C-alpha cells in the first residue's frame, strides 16, 4: 500500500490577480488541511482572511523573496526564509512583497479541543515570527546513530500550535536521513532552494527538487539520500494524529 503523494513544481500553473497567485495542492491527501503555494509579485500587497481560535490555525512559510507582514500595528520584515503564525482573528493581516517576487506556503488547518488545550497550557504568545537562521538546531537519535550529518531545526515545536509542528532539514551531499516511521504523524515536505535528493517513502522512490511537495501518511517508513553533488534542503510540516485515536 502506498498513499504517498507528490506535487511536482513543473506542474504549477501560475495565474495572477492583482499581482497575487495562489494554487491549492495535494487537496485529496488530507482535505481538512489546506496547502497553498503563493506568489506575490514585487511591490504587490495582499490582505488575508483571519480565523478565530475556535476555527482554524494558519501558518505562512516564506521561502524566497523579501517583503513585510503587517499584523494589526506590528510589522515583521521578511529578508530570509521565515515562518509567521498570526494571532488568529485578533489582527488584520496584510503581506507586501518588497523589490523581489515573494514565494510562500500558506497552510491552514482546523483547531480542535486538543489544539486549544495544548496552546492554553503552553501560554504561547502570538503572533510569532521565526527566521530560519534563528531556529533551534537539534539531532534525532536515529540521525546521530546512523552517522548522518544533516542539520535538523525546530521551527514550530510540539504543542505550541497544538497538533501542528514544523521544522527544517539541510545537508550538503553526500548525506542522508535514515529510514524511519512516525506512527501518528501526517507529514508534508516542501523542497527548498537548491534541493536535489532522493526521497524514499513506502514503496516509492522519488527524485525531488526545489518547489516539489510530498505528502507521507502516518505509519509510512521514509528517508532521504543525496549524492556528492546533491543537496538536502526541505521544510517539513506535520499534523500529529496521536490524540485523535484516544
Ligand atoms: Fe520523518
Amino acid at each position: 500500500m502506498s498513499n504517498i503523494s507528490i506535487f511536482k513544481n513543473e506542474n504549477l500553473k501560475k495565474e495572477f490577480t492583482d499581482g497575487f497567485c495562489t494554487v491549492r495542492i495535494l487537496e485529496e491527501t488530507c482535505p481538512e488541511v489546506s496547502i497553498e503555494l503563493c506568489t506575490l509579485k514585487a511591490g504587490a500587497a495582499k490582505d488575508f482572511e483571519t480565523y478565530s481560535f475556535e476555527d482554524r490555525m494558519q501558518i505562512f512559510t516564506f521561502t524566497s523573496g523579501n517583503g513585510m507582514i503587517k499584523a494589526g500595528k506590528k510589522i515583521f520584515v521578511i529578508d530570509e526564509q521565515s515562518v509567521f503564525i498570526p494571532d488568529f482573528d485578533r489582527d488584520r493581516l496584510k503581506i507586501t512583497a518588497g523589490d523581489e517576487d515573494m514565494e510562500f506556503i500558506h497552510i491552514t488547518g482546523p483547531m480542535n479541543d486538543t489544539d486549544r488545550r495544548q496552546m492554553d497550557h503552553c501560554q504561547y504568545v502570538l503572533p510569532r515570527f521565526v527566521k530560519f537562521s534563528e531556529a533551534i538546531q537539534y539531532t534525532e537519535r536515529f540521525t546521530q546513530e546512523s552517522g548522518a550529518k544533516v542539520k535538523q531545526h525546530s521551527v514550530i515545536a510540539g504543542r505550541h500550535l497544538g497538533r501542528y509542528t514544523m521544522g527544517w532539514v539541510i545537508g550538503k551531499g553526500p548525506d542522508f536521513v535514515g529510514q524511519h516511521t512516525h506512527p501518528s504523524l501526517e507529514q508534508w515536505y516542501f523542497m527548498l532552494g537548491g534541493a536535489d535528493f532522493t526521497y524514499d517513502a513506502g514503496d516509492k522512490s522519488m527524485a525531488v527538487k526545489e518547489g516539489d511537495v510530498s505528502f507521507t501518511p502516518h505509519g509510512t517508513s521514509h528517508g532521504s539520500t543525496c549524492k556528492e553533488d546533491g543537496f538536502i534542503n526541505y521544510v517539513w510540516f506535520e499534523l500529529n494524529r496521536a490524540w485523535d485515536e484516544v
Side-chain angles (χ1 to χ4, degrees), residues 6-243:
I6 183 128
F7 174 81
K8 295 298 288 179
N9 189 255
E10 64 212 36
N11 297 325
L12 184 62
K13 301 264 180 297
K14 290 188 180 181
E15 287 177 21
F16 287 86
T17 305
D18 298 330
F20 180 65
C21 166
T22 181
V23 178
R24 186 167 177 188
I25 59 159
L26 299 177
E27 196 171 343
E28 68 291 351
T29 57
C30 180
E32 71 211 79
V33 174
S34 166
I35 310 271
E36 292 177 65
L37 301 183
C38 304
T39 308
L40 190 58
K41 293 244 191 221
K46 170 77 182 162
D47 290 300
F48 283 86
E49 192 179 345
T50 58
Y51 307 101
S52 76
F53 189 59
E54 299 299 314
D55 187 7
R56 291 181 85 74
M57 70 84 199
Q58 50 180 332
I59 303 168
F60 296 86
T61 302
F62 299 90
T63 54
S64 70
N66 60 23
M68 68 168 195
I69 306 156
K70 190 164 188 295
K73 292 182 176 172
K74 302 176 204 85
I75 301 271
F76 301 89
V77 175
I78 301 151
D79 55 7
E80 63 167 278
Q81 291 174 5
S82 41
V83 166
F84 179 73
I85 307 168
D87 190 11
F88 294 93
D89 56 357
R90 294 186 188 97
D91 296 316
R92 291 181 67 168
L93 203 59
K94 185 187 221 89
I95 298 176
T96 306
D99 59 1
E100 296 171 8
D101 290 1
M102 181 190 269
E103 306 226 333
F104 53 95
I105 305 149
H106 183 202
I107 303 172
T108 76
M111 291 286 291
N112 68 12
D113 287 344
T114 303
D115 300 318
R116 286 184 283 270
R117 189 177 64 249
Q118 292 187 355
M119 290 183 73
D120 277 339
H121 287 181
C122 285
Q123 302 266 335
Y124 186 65
V125 173
L126 297 175
R128 184 160 181 241
F129 182 62
V130 187
K131 295 187 176 195
F132 278 25
S133 61
E134 296 164 351
I136 294 166
Q137 198 189 316
Y138 68 97
T139 305
E140 279 174 294
R141 196 182 304 133
F142 72 83
T143 300
Q144 186 183 49
E145 287 173 354
S146 65
K149 305 188 301 293
V150 284
K151 302 278 187 230
Q152 299 167 293
H153 306 80
S154 174
V155 177
I156 302 172
R159 296 169 184 258
H160 286 182
L161 193 57
R163 298 165 298 153
Y164 303 100
T165 51
M166 184 173 274
W168 168 44
V169 178
I170 185 165
K172 256 180 81 120
D175 209 345
F176 63 97
V177 176
Q179 283 287 321
H180 62 283
T181 303
H182 308 290
S184 63
L185 303 179
E186 317 288 17
Q187 188 171 55
W188 290 260
Y189 283 4
F190 301 92
M191 315 313 162
L192 297 177
D196 185 4
F197 63 96
T198 303
Y199 180 55
D200 292 297
D203 56 9
K204 281 193 184 165
S205 183
M206 296 157 270
V208 293
K209 294 212 157 137
E210 177 178 357
D212 295 345
V213 183
S214 68
F215 172 78
T216 309
H218 67 273
T220 310
S221 180
H222 57 279
S224 303
T225 49
C226 75
K227 297 194 179 117
E228 182 89 36
D229 56 351
F231 189 43
I232 292 175
N233 191 15
Y234 63 88
V235 170
W236 54 260
F237 165 68
E238 291 169 349
L239 164 61
N240 194 341
R241 298 283 196 196
W243 298 276

